[in-house]
Structure formats: C-alpha cells, structure tokens
Amino acid sequence: MAKVVLAGKANCPYYAKAELLADYLQVNLPDFRVHKITQHPDKWEQWLHDICEMNGWEHRQSPIIWRELLDRGGKGLLLGGIKDFLEYVQHYYGITSMMLSEEMSDIAEENLQAHIEMEKEEEEIKSLIRPLQIWITSASAPICYQLIPLLASGEVFGMTTEISIHLLDTKQFKEVLCGIVMEAEDMAFPLLYSISEHTEIDEAFIQADIIIVLDDVLLNREVRSLENYIREVNEICQVYAPLIEKNAKSEVRVISSGKTFVNLKAMMIMTYGPSIKPANVIAVATPWENAARAMLARKLNMNTAGVKDVIVWGNITGCNYIDLSHAKLYGYDCAIWGPANFPCPLLNVIYDSEWIHSAFLSAQSSLSSRVCHSVGMLHAHGVATVLRHWYHGSPPGEIISVGILTEGQFCVPEGIVFSMPVRFQNGNWEVVTELEINETTQEVLGRLAHELIQEKLIALKEIKEMHPYGAGKITSKNYLHQDVCCEQHSFKNKTFRTLS
C-alpha cells in the first residue's frame, strides 16, 4: 500500500487540481491513500526549502508531491509537481483530470479561507493552554538540574497544571543548558509543556509567573571583605529587578535560593524593583530546616518526616538561629500514644538537655557544611517544598521558615529580609505571630537583625556610590552563576546557631 503526500500553498490552483484528483483516487481505489499539507502563502517558501533540504530534493514550485511506502518506511520518493503527478496517475491508474482553470481558482480561494480559519481555531485552542511560566537563573547550577524533575512531575503544582521552564545563564554555559533541555525533553514529563534555554539577558523573564534566583557569589579562599561580596550581589540584582518589572507578570513570585546571601538577594531585588510586590519575594530556608530535622531524627531513631516545626530565624546563609522550642514529633515510639496527628513536643522527648546544648550545638558547623556542600538535591527539594506550600497551602498546623520582608513581627526591625515561621494559605503567606518566644530568643533575634541591617546599610552605600545622581540605566555585567566554595571568612568569624 502506498501513501501519496500532497503539499502546497493554500491558494495555489494547481494544488487544488491535484487535491481533487487525489481525493477521487482515494475514494475509488482501495490501496490508495493521500495525506494533505497546506501552508499559508507567506510561509510556503521557507517550508518548501526546509522539506527539500531535509530530504535532499530539488523542487521550487507548488505543489510538491511525493510517495511513501507505508509498510517499509524510509524517506519518501519525490514525484514532482502537478505535471509529474498527472503523468503518474495516468500511467498507473489510467485516470486524468479535466478540471478547468476557473474551477481551480475558485477551489484555491476556498482552500485559503479554510486554511486561515483552521489556523485561527488552532491558535484559540493553544490560547486555552496556559502553562505556568517558570524562569530559573544560573540554570547551569546543579540545583537546577535536580529541581527540574521535581517541578515537572506534578508533585509541586498538581497533576493538572502544565509548566514551561526557561533556563537562563551566560553564553559560556550554552552547551550545558542545551544538554539539560535535551535530557528533560527525552524524559517525556506529562506536565512539561516546553523547556528552553536563554543566554540573552534582554529576553529574560518574559511573561514569568515564577522566577527562581539561584545565583551565588564565589567565596574565594583568599580573604575578601563583606563589601566586595555585597557589591557582587548588587550587580546581579540591579540587572534582574528592572527586567522582572518590565517583562514578568504583575503577580510574579520570586524565590531567592542558593548557598550565599539569599536574604540579601531578595532584599535587593525589592530595592531595585520597587513595583515588585514585597509579599511575592521570599528567601528559602528549607534546606537548613530539613538538615536540622534530619539530625534530630537520627538522634531519636525515627523518620525525619515526623519532625515538624523546626524554625530557622535570621540570616539564612549567614548567622541564623535554629529554634527547637516549638518543634513537634509525629509518630514517635514513646510511652504516650495517640492518633497519627497527635504531636509530642520535641523538648519533652529529648530528655538529654546536655546533648542539645553541647553535641547539637557543636554539630552546627558540620550541619552548615553539609548544606553548603550539597550537590543540589537538598536545595532543589527546599525550593519545591516552598512552591508546593505556596500554591496548595501548608498542611494543617504545619509551619515553614522563609525569609520575608519584615513589618515589625517579633520586635524585629522593619525593612529587612529575615527568616521566620510562616503559614501558607490560599496562595498567600502569613507570619505565625501567635508563637510565644522567651526573652533569650528575643535577644538572639535582635543580634541576628543587627547583622542583616549592616548588610543592608552596606548595600545601600554601594548603590549610592555607584549611582550618586540616581540609578540611571542599568546594564548587564558578569551577572550569573559561579561555583560556590563555602568557607568561613573574616567577616563571618562565627556561625551563630544556638538552640533552646
């Protein structure tokens, strides 16, 4: 059985003649099949060039007709144009076409109108498919590689929400991005509508619903000042923020993640992008929260998932405070039993207070190192967890730590990005202000806020020095991903991680 493929301009009278003859043959000959391809006149030349180049053909007019063997495969056998097709049909089937030129022109006009209407219908159908537009910066980073399967699996946004992922990085990482795109496409995720790579900064964040900022500054082994690092963060954010304002959707949600200065990145994106809603910019603390939960679960010989409500306060990737005073255990094998949703206060279960104040405290540098040197899975899971809570709400009674712009909650000064407990509901978040904190914790929060205030003042000073007469036009510099080496530096002479 043979199939004849008939392709031509929608308004071509010779295509119309070949089409009617092919339809007649298909109706009257049991082993004859025809497949039709019409192209708008404006697109015909390019389409013809591409199909001929792909098959190694030489043809310059409409229509183009070739024959394919259904039971053998392989590339098609070019028959030629209208004259070649008429000769082929006459020779094999003894049938010819007597269609007049006037009839050919009338049918060609009808074909063009039908093609235009069909294109409109296809565009309307496509417009009904509105996938979430997700942009990931510094997309060559390992975090991004681990994050894509989590986003595309349906576990984050639900099994009915399609997504389009846009990977942004510099031109030097173009091959890496192309490899990620190819691998993601080969995995055939049912909810991944599209994935693409971008290396031109001017086209960044177009129609973005979600922006995940993974950029990190390179912490050298040589001693560098805090001012130098903050200047690098400024250079990143002063490029991104105006583009987010210009290209992204008005309700875009921005997530700052990574291994360095996640609070400051969120702060400076709000500073350089004043029209971006502050409530839509958050910093992810989940990796540190989860690492602490895992350490506690190992101590208690239980599943990590049963440890809830560990709070990370302060500067997520700097000096922070891991608070166990509100932590709960679910499903812990102890003397008191209850239903599955019955919690035990963690501090009531860990009777070894010496371990909390010595072993756990001394292990914090190890915990920080584990988080900073993770290959990406831990941070990717943290971003996915925050997005799942943001879009579907937090599980009943559960809280999560994120960096948000403060408004005086827990007596923390206003106007800094500070990690604190929140609860997500109906697409929004609210700080869990009903938590009681003691005087010792309040004193710790004050010291943590001081560090973030100092970072903010240095950043604002850098802005003033760079733009003494106003921000002016911001241009792209070396704005994207570099590998991070997490070391303790002179400006971070200790990591403040205490527990109570």
Side-chain angles (χ1 to χ4, degrees):
M1 180 182 292
K3 177 178 74 173
V4 171
V5 181
L6 178 61
K9 289 191 292 185
N11 64 344
C12 174
Y14 298 107
Y15 172 82
K17 184 172 185 176
E19 179 188 25
L20 262 66
L21 178 57
D23 286 344
Y24 176 83
L25 294 172
Q26 183 167 250
V27 170
N28 291 277
L29 299 175
D31 293 333
F32 187 92
R33 296 290 181 269
V34 62
H35 175 66
K36 305 173 192 176
I37 302 173
T38 57
Q39 294 291 327
H40 193 279
D42 296 339
K43 301 177 181 178
W44 167 253
E45 294 296 336
Q46 184 62 49
W47 184 90
L48 180 62
H49 174 271
D50 293 342
I51 196 71
C52 288
E53 184 177 26
M54 181 177 67
N55 291 281
W57 295 336
E58 288 288 338
H59 192 82
R60 296 290 179 268
Q61 297 176 340
S62 173
I64 179 173
I65 304 166
W66 67 90
R67 181 170 177 261
E68 293 181 352
L69 299 178
L70 296 181
D71 57 346
R72 295 187 186 178
K75 79 173 186 177
L77 175 65
L78 179 65
L79 298 179
I82 181 64
K83 290 183 180 180
D84 303 295
F85 181 58
L86 293 175
E87 291 177 1
Y88 170 81
V89 172
Q90 177 67 38
H91 177 74
Y92 276 92
Y93 306 110
I95 299 173
T96 188
S97 172
M98 304 300 294
M99 183 182 293
L100 301 176
S101 298
E102 184 176 349
E103 291 178 293
M104 292 164 53
S105 298
D106 290 343
I107 294 173
E109 183 65 28
E110 292 176 4
N111 282 346
L112 178 60
Q113 294 301 320
H115 181 79
I116 293 173
E117 290 178 6
M118 187 178 299
E119 284 187 332
K120 287 182 179 178
E121 288 181 8
E122 290 177 355
E123 288 299 321
E124 289 177 1
I125 293 172
K126 288 181 180 179
S127 68
L128 298 176
I129 303 174
R130 297 179 180 176
L132 278 176
Q133 303 294 326
I134 303 172
W135 284 78
I136 305 176
T137 72
S138 191
S140 64
I143 300 174
C144 176
Y145 187 81
Q146 303 286 348
L147 179 60
I148 290 172
L150 299 177
L151 298 178
S153 66
E155 294 181 6
V156 175
F157 303 107
M159 298 305 298
T160 60
T161 302
E162 293 188 332
I163 63 173
S164 289
I165 297 177
H166 305 267
L167 308 178
L168 178 67
D169 215 316
T170 52
K171 291 181 179 179
Q172 71 183 101
F173 295 105
K174 184 176 178 64
E175 288 189 12
V176 177
L177 298 186
C178 291
I180 295 173
V181 168
M182 181 174 62
E183 191 169 349
E185 289 175 340
D186 289 346
M187 292 181 74
F189 293 108
L191 297 174
L192 184 58
Y193 183 79
S194 65
I195 182 169
S196 56
E197 47 85 16
H198 303 266
T199 56
E200 297 296 331
I201 189 62
D202 292 337
E203 66 184 29
F205 313 131
I206 292 176
Q207 291 299 300
D209 293 293
I210 299 167
I211 298 171
I212 303 169
V213 180
L214 299 181
D215 301 71
D216 279 314
V217 298
L218 181 63
L219 302 183
N220 296 323
R221 294 182 182 274
E222 300 175 358
V223 175
R224 292 180 61 188
S225 67
L226 176 60
E227 289 79 3
N228 287 336
Y229 293 116
I230 290 179
R231 185 178 297 114
E232 290 186 33
V233 175
N234 266 335
E235 289 177 356
I236 294 169
C237 297
Q238 71 176 346
V239 172
Y240 287 164
L243 288 170
I244 293 172
E245 289 185 303
K246 176 184 176 183
N247 295 338
K249 295 179 181 177
S250 60
E251 295 292 328
V252 63
R253 298 175 179 182
V254 182
I255 291 182
S256 173
S257 185
K259 303 177 182 180
T260 59
F261 296 101
V262 295
N263 293 59
L264 186 61
K265 283 187 293 185
M267 180 77 251
M268 300 319 297
I269 285 173
M270 288 184 253
T271 301
Y272 283 111
S275 69
I276 302 171
K277 293 184 177 180
N280 284 2
V281 182
I282 63 176
V284 176
T286 318
W288 280 261
E289 186 180 294
N290 287 345
R293 291 168 57 203
M295 185 182 295
L296 293 164
R298 287 192 293 272
K299 169 66 176 177
L300 295 167
N301 193 27
M302 65 176 294
N303 192 318
T304 305
V307 183
K308 305 286 188 181
D309 298 349
V310 173
I311 301 173
V312 177
W313 299 92
N315 192 351
I316 296 166
T317 49
C319 294
N320 59 45
Y321 169 47
I322 299 179
D323 183 3
L324 303 184
S325 60
H326 304 280
K328 302 179 183 67
L329 303 177
Y330 292 84
Y332 179 64
D333 187 9
C334 62
I336 301 175
W337 283 81
N341 60 349
F342 175 76
C344 295
L346 181 140
L347 294 181
N348 289 356
V349 173
I350 299 183
Y351 54 86
D352 188 357
S353 60
E354 182 180 349
W355 180 85
I356 294 176
H357 294 288
S358 59
F360 192 86
L361 179 60
S362 63
Q364 296 309 299
S365 59
S366 173
L367 184 148
S368 179
S369 178
R370 289 166 68 96
V371 174
C372 288
H373 286 91
S374 68
V375 294
M377 190 184 302
L378 180 61
H379 291 271
H381 179 264
V383 172
T385 299
V386 169
L387 282 171
R388 184 170 62 250
H389 283 230
W390 208 341
Y391 275 82
H392 297 288
S394 299
E398 190 171 327
I399 59 178
I400 188 172
S401 304
V402 297
I404 53 98
L405 186 66
T406 56
E407 297 179 350
Q409 303 96 332
F410 301 106
C411 298
V412 175
E414 296 183 22
I416 58 175
V417 173
F418 194 93
S419 179
M420 56 180 61
V422 304
R423 184 181 294 116
F424 289 91
Q425 188 175 7
N426 299 324
N428 301 306
W429 54 262
E430 61 177 4
V431 178
V432 188
T433 54
E434 65 268 23
L435 293 180
E436 296 183 3
I437 58 176
N438 56 36
E439 292 182 4
T440 303
T441 301
Q442 190 65 65
E443 182 182 349
V444 172
L445 299 189
R447 292 202 292 267
L448 297 177
H450 178 73
E451 181 195 48
L452 288 166
I453 291 171
Q454 290 301 113
E455 282 190 3
K456 180 180 178 181
L457 291 175
I458 294 171
L460 295 177
K461 179 183 176 183
E462 293 291 334
I463 294 174
K464 187 175 180 181
E465 290 177 353
M466 287 188 294
H467 309 290
Y469 303 106
K473 185 177 180 180
I474 296 170
T475 58
S476 172
K477 291 189 177 181
N478 184 17
Y479 61 94
L480 287 173
H481 162 71
Q482 298 195 54
D483 292 330
V484 177
C485 176
C486 285
E487 300 287 344
Q488 296 298 324
H489 298 277
S490 59
F491 68 90
K492 293 182 181 177
N493 51 22
K494 65 175 182 177
T495 302
F496 192 86
R497 300 176 184 274
T498 61
L499 299 104
S500 59

